[in-house]
Amino acid sequence: AQSVTQPDIHITVSEGASLELRCNYSYGATPYLFWYVQSPGQGLQLLLKYFSGDTLVQGIKGFEAEFKRSQSSFNLRKPSVHWSDAAEYFCAVVPMNSGGYQKVTFGTGTKLQVIP
Amino acid sequence: DARVTQTPRDKVTEMGQEVTMRCQPILGHNTVFWYRQTMMQGLELLAYFRNRAPLDDSGMPKDRFSAEMPDATLATLKIQPSEPRDSAVYFCASGLGTTLSNTGELFFGEGSRLTVL
């Protein structure tokens, strides 16, 4: 069965510092890969996605993620964190050959705290 | 600005009462999901619809939960009778499925926070 692991439950970074959130997946083939962000009291919003092609993908709010097939990873990065980035971040996978069935598996999330 | 709309945003009820949550997916989307989010369990998939047909409700307690799509603009999640352990935030999400032209992105509503006393 496919699974998504986000090993860091909680991360604290200083404003202006760089950020990397880890995501590893377990699946027989390369799935579609996503990062979502959830601000307090809100639903999840898509940050970026990997479908195919260039393994470094750019998203909204200055985020990027790099797909590494050899490591089954899709880590999220931002060079300089802003206080407004404090939120919970979810990695998600969707099987590429799902026949139209969009079974999404979410990781357990990483809560990001930004300190001045 | 197309978005998924959920009602109610907040609901407090007593154990044993019926609760109905509603969702209006984005116009044109053919997939609808219901998720439950708690601190302990994270995001759990409860039900999944494609073209209004239920395809997967394996994550939903069948004895008290039911999900329907009376039409393409409305999805409902009902709990009867409700129990304190049902207290959670329930999210609806819609999308266009995974095809050659769509990669499975989901659009989430803001959630319905349910508290069962």
Side-chain angles (χ1 to χ4, degrees):
Chain A
Q2 62 191 57
S3 66
V4 180
T5 302
Q6 293 180 249
D8 303 307
I9 297 172
H10 190 271
I11 282 184
T12 300
V13 299
S14 298
E15 190 169 14
S18 64
L19 171 70
E20 182 168 30
L21 302 183
R22 295 181 291 166
C23 172
N24 292 92
Y25 66 90
S26 173
Y27 190 64
T30 300
Y32 300 143
L33 297 158
F34 304 81
W35 275 99
Y36 287 84
V37 61
Q38 184 181 28
S39 298
Q42 301 295 313
L44 279 70
Q45 179 188 15
L46 182 71
L47 275 178
L48 47 77
K49 61 186 177 185
Y50 172 76
F51 174 49
S52 65
D54 193 347
T55 57
L56 184 65
V57 294
Q58 304 297 319
I60 62 172
K61 306 185 181 186
F63 284 91
E64 65 178 26
E66 185 173 13
F67 167 60
K68 292 185 177 180
R69 186 189 306 273
S70 61
Q71 299 177 17
S72 296
S73 69
F74 189 54
N75 293 349
L76 181 71
R77 302 195 294 246
K78 187 169 184 178
S80 177
V81 169
H82 188 261
W83 64 266
S84 60
D85 293 325
E88 189 160 15
Y89 293 80
F90 292 89
C91 183
V93 302
V94 174
M96 194 171 281
N97 297 314
S98 59
Y101 176 37
Q102 191 181 359
K103 184 168 178 62
V104 183
T105 300
F106 284 93
T108 51
T110 298
K111 283 190 178 175
L112 174 64
Q113 181 182 11
V114 181
I115 56 177
Chain B
D1 186 22
R3 58 179 176 171
V4 176
T5 304
Q6 289 186 247
T7 57
R9 288 297 312 276
D10 280 282
K11 175 74 175 179
V12 180
T13 190
E14 293 188 344
M15 183 173 61
Q17 295 298 304
E18 177 179 302
V19 175
T20 298
M21 289 167 274
R22 294 177 174 80
C23 167
Q24 181 176 4
I26 292 174
L27 189 66
H29 281 186
N30 64 344
T31 61
V32 173
F33 296 76
W34 282 104
Y35 286 91
R36 177 170 62 185
Q37 186 178 39
T38 61
M39 290 287 290
M40 295 299 295
Q41 301 295 327
L43 273 168
E44 301 174 276
L45 176 64
L46 297 176
Y48 163 74
F49 292 80
R50 186 173 64 176
N51 297 325
R52 295 177 54 202
L55 290 192
D56 185 351
D57 61 1
S58 57
M60 198 165 66
K62 303 292 191 303
D63 56 339
R64 298 182 301 108
F65 284 62
S66 62
E68 296 179 346
M69 278 201 75
D71 61 61
T73 65
L74 177 65
T76 62
L77 180 66
K78 187 177 296 185
I79 308 174
Q80 167 63 20
S82 58
E83 297 182 1
R85 58 179 168 154
D86 301 329
S87 297
V89 181
Y90 291 81
F91 286 102
C92 175
S94 70
L96 288 167
T98 51
T99 66
L100 288 177
S101 57
N102 295 298
T103 55
E105 174 183 354
L106 292 182
F107 295 79
F108 281 78
E110 294 187 321
S112 294
R113 180 178 297 277
L114 174 65
T115 303
V116 183
L117 303 174

